[in-house]
Amino acid sequence: MELNGSVEAPKENPAPRRSLSSSPGLQYGALVNSVTSLTTPESQNPPISNRQAYVTMAVLCYINLLNYMERYTIAGVLLNIQTFFKIRDSTAALLQTVFICSFLLLAPLFGYLGDRYNRKFIMIGGLCVWLLTAAASSFVTESYFWLLALLRGLVGIGEASYSTIAPTIIGDLFTGGKRSIMICIFYIFIPVGSGLGYIAGAGSAYLTGDWHWALRITPIMGVIGLILMIFLCPNPARGAAETNGEGVVAKSSYLEDIKYLLKNKSYVWSSLGVTALAFLTGALAFWVPTFLSRARVTQELHQPCTDEPCDSTDSYIFGAVTVATGILGGAVGTTLSRTFRDKVPYADPLICGVGMLGSVPCIFIIIFVAASSIPATYVFIFCGELLLSLNWAVMADILLYVVVPTRRATAEALQISFAHLLGDAGSPYLIGISDAVRSSKPDDLNWSFHSLKVSLLVCPFIGILGGAFFLFTTKYITEDSKAVLRLIEGNEDCALWFVIQSQRPKCIV
């Protein structure tokens, strides 16, 4: 092999694969370590059978379902909570904001641990925290709204460990087209779980007459998930799928990992797109059922809620639409990706960009049609959510093939933190400042609907930004994915040349 550049070509009989960080001929400071310090581990985990991989996948999907059910149960009973605690929109939105803030603050820590320690044990510990705090939050009384907010924050800590690490385990169990399918299935449970969260929350509140029971469903189901994880899930070697079970290990600091990711343009631009998607879906998921309920009051179809339990019709319908569009959109997005990726190397970010930009007109129509026709609004909610759901599995797959295996947990963690920090951590609260608009006519029920409508107008513009970010990703994704493949396959010098020079690798094999 010969390199057209300043990196010296290897000798005819190269040494066995080892860490380049210790190679005297390739000293490039922290960057060398962060990009190329991959070695074959001395002691490897036992090989994982196909059956065990599929069982693990099933357990991870079940817990992911509960993860998002728990996250959006609050939105399904939001009217009940506001009536119970006598709080306004901005205060109610704090429940989601506090949850997401704790989630994003702890995600980098779990990403660091997930790239270096036993991932199964980390997830088990996080799952225990999640289940205990979620169950405790269901016993908060009327005078302790602050305690409910605090416990929601602790729930976010537990969920951060799982959401950060689980996708990387799937990446180490499957590869190629099979991994795309498995990632699709895993991420389909985001909208499915979210939709079931609305339905389960509203349904339990209606059946029991007490919204507290909505917060007890997922902890009970979660105990089953915890037991299954303990006894059925392995801890695969990092990079096992790409190295026929051998796995790879890294010798780098956390700072070096971050430097590597910041130089990965596909990762940076796609993460910005994910952030815009998080902002959009977080705002719509939290407020649309309440928005539609107020629209019914404006049209004099319903009376305003003054006592529990409040009418949950829109939580049921919105939840069902979210489940249906999540399954259909995830399947369509993955099918498009598998069909066009070999022909168009930048197909994945293109699909994500088109999905987000296509949803923008639907969101505009939702906001303005709700005052006159609820059925027509749901038609465009279906179309908008379907287009947004094209992204879930595809954008997750992008991260797995543009980032080396030993840095995927860190990459997941930083993407989650950034997306939540600038995305759905603030978007529910930002929409909740409809209180400021509403304050001019606090007793006017119609004005409470119109003030929320004005606040929701920020969402289409964020959708345009997100689409643009994914389209920028198309410019870099081909070379970034090739660099990762060369690195994994052992062509380390070429991968190093690619990252250092930030241009097309000039390798002659």
Side-chain angles (χ1 to χ4, degrees):
M1 182 182 74
E2 179 183 319
L3 290 172
N4 297 332
S6 59
V7 179
E8 227 177 65
K11 298 177 182 178
E12 290 184 4
N13 299 314
R17 190 179 180 195
R18 57 195 175 88
S19 170
L20 293 183
S21 62
S22 61
S23 173
L26 288 173
Q27 293 299 321
Y28 194 78
L31 183 57
V32 172
N33 296 335
S34 66
V35 177
T36 60
S37 58
L38 299 178
T39 64
T40 303
E42 295 179 2
S43 58
Q44 298 161 3
N45 292 340
I48 296 172
S49 66
N50 285 336
R51 180 181 177 183
Q52 191 175 15
Y54 287 123
V55 169
T56 301
M57 178 69 191
V59 174
L60 294 178
C61 286
Y62 173 72
I63 298 174
N64 201 39
L65 174 75
L66 299 183
N67 185 353
Y68 281 87
M69 278 184 64
E70 202 284 329
R71 189 176 300 188
Y72 287 101
T73 297
I74 288 285
V77 292
L78 188 61
L79 286 174
N80 294 276
I81 292 174
Q82 286 185 281
T83 303
F84 182 80
F85 288 106
K86 298 178 178 59
I87 53 177
R88 304 181 71 179
D89 289 351
S90 56
T91 307
L94 284 175
L95 291 174
Q96 190 75 350
T97 298
V98 168
F99 168 84
I100 296 297
C101 284
S102 66
F103 187 96
L104 69 90
L105 289 174
L106 270 293
L109 172 62
F110 289 117
Y112 174 86
L113 298 174
D115 276 336
R116 290 160 176 80
Y117 301 101
N118 189 300
R119 291 175 288 182
K120 176 178 176 178
F121 293 160
I122 296 170
M123 288 194 298
I124 289 172
L127 205 54
C128 291
V129 173
W130 162 23
L131 297 178
L132 289 173
T133 51
S137 67
S138 70
F139 294 97
V140 175
T141 57
E142 188 175 0
S143 303
Y144 294 93
F145 175 79
W146 64 269
L147 180 58
L148 177 62
L150 174 63
L151 290 171
R152 290 296 296 168
L154 295 176
V155 170
I157 294 173
E159 290 192 17
S161 67
Y162 181 80
S163 296
T164 301
I165 294 173
T168 69
I169 290 181
I170 297 173
D172 292 332
L173 292 174
F174 306 97
T175 188
K178 186 179 290 185
R179 180 164 70 189
S180 296
I181 294 173
M182 295 304 160
I183 286 293
C184 170
I185 294 171
F186 181 79
Y187 277 90
I188 275 176
F189 284 96
I190 292 180
V192 170
S194 302
L196 290 178
Y198 294 110
I199 296 170
S204 59
Y206 174 76
L207 292 174
T208 62
D210 183 1
W211 64 268
H212 289 86
W213 278 99
L215 304 184
R216 294 168 187 162
I217 296 174
T218 50
I220 294 171
M221 298 173 67
V223 172
I224 299 172
L226 178 61
I227 295 171
L228 292 174
M229 177 173 286
I230 292 172
F231 292 104
L232 298 180
C233 292
N235 179 46
R238 293 166 182 85
E242 291 96 340
T243 58
N244 297 319
E246 291 183 358
V248 291
V249 293
K251 295 179 181 178
S252 62
S253 69
Y254 189 62
L255 180 60
E256 290 165 354
D257 293 348
I258 294 175
K259 287 180 179 179
Y260 162 69
L261 293 172
L262 291 178
K263 288 179 178 292
N264 189 323
K265 294 180 181 179
S266 296
Y267 173 77
V268 171
W269 283 112
S270 62
S271 294
L272 290 171
V274 172
T275 301
L277 180 64
F279 184 102
L280 196 57
T281 55
L284 296 176
F286 195 79
W287 284 115
V288 164
T290 301
F291 176 68
L292 294 174
S293 179
R294 293 182 184 179
R296 292 181 187 273
V297 173
T298 299
Q299 297 178 40
E300 298 183 351
L301 300 175
H302 285 172
Q303 294 298 315
C305 178
T306 55
D307 297 302
E308 295 184 75
C310 298
D311 187 279
S312 301
T313 301
D314 291 300
S315 292
Y316 291 129
I317 300 175
F318 187 74
V321 169
T322 301
V323 171
T325 55
I327 295 173
L328 184 59
V332 171
T334 300
T335 301
L336 291 173
S337 172
R338 297 188 68 199
T339 301
F340 294 106
R341 188 187 295 171
D342 292 337
K343 303 172 185 176
V344 183
Y346 53 85
D348 285 354
L350 186 61
I351 292 168
C352 293
V354 170
M356 286 206 71
L357 292 174
S359 70
V360 170
C362 297
I363 297 170
F364 266 119
I365 294 172
I366 290 166
I367 294 171
F368 288 101
V369 171
S372 56
S373 175
I374 297 297
T377 303
Y378 272 114
V379 170
F380 287 99
I381 287 174
F382 182 92
C383 295
E385 286 203 325
L386 179 63
L387 289 165
L388 290 174
S389 294
L390 296 177
N391 294 9
W392 291 115
V394 178
M395 69 187 189
D397 208 14
I398 289 173
L399 184 147
L400 291 176
Y401 65 71
V402 300
V403 176
V404 294
T406 52
R407 287 160 181 82
R408 285 175 183 160
T410 298
E412 288 276 358
L414 291 178
Q415 188 178 86
I416 286 172
S417 295
F418 192 76
H420 288 317
L421 179 64
L422 299 180
D424 55 350
S427 62
Y429 186 76
L430 180 64
I431 303 302
I433 61 171
S434 58
D435 286 341
V437 181
R438 186 180 177 182
S439 61
S440 61
K441 301 177 183 178
D443 299 322
D444 189 334
L445 295 176
N446 289 334
W447 189 243
S448 71
F449 165 74
H450 289 291
S451 64
L452 189 54
K453 180 173 77 173
V454 170
S455 297
L456 285 169
L457 283 173
V458 71
C459 293
F461 296 100
I462 298 298
I464 294 171
L465 271 180
F469 290 144
F470 279 120
L471 293 181
F472 278 124
T473 309
T474 62
K475 183 178 178 180
Y476 305 104
I477 195 165
T478 303
E479 296 303 338
D480 287 347
S481 60
K482 285 180 180 178
V484 172
L485 283 174
R486 291 188 182 97
L487 185 59
I488 293 172
E489 291 170 358
N491 196 351
E492 295 158 329
D493 291 342
C494 182
L496 175 64
W497 173 263
F498 167 73
V499 177
I500 293 176
Q501 300 297 334
S502 297
Q503 62 186 35
R504 181 181 293 275
K506 299 179 180 179
C507 298
I508 302 174
V509 180

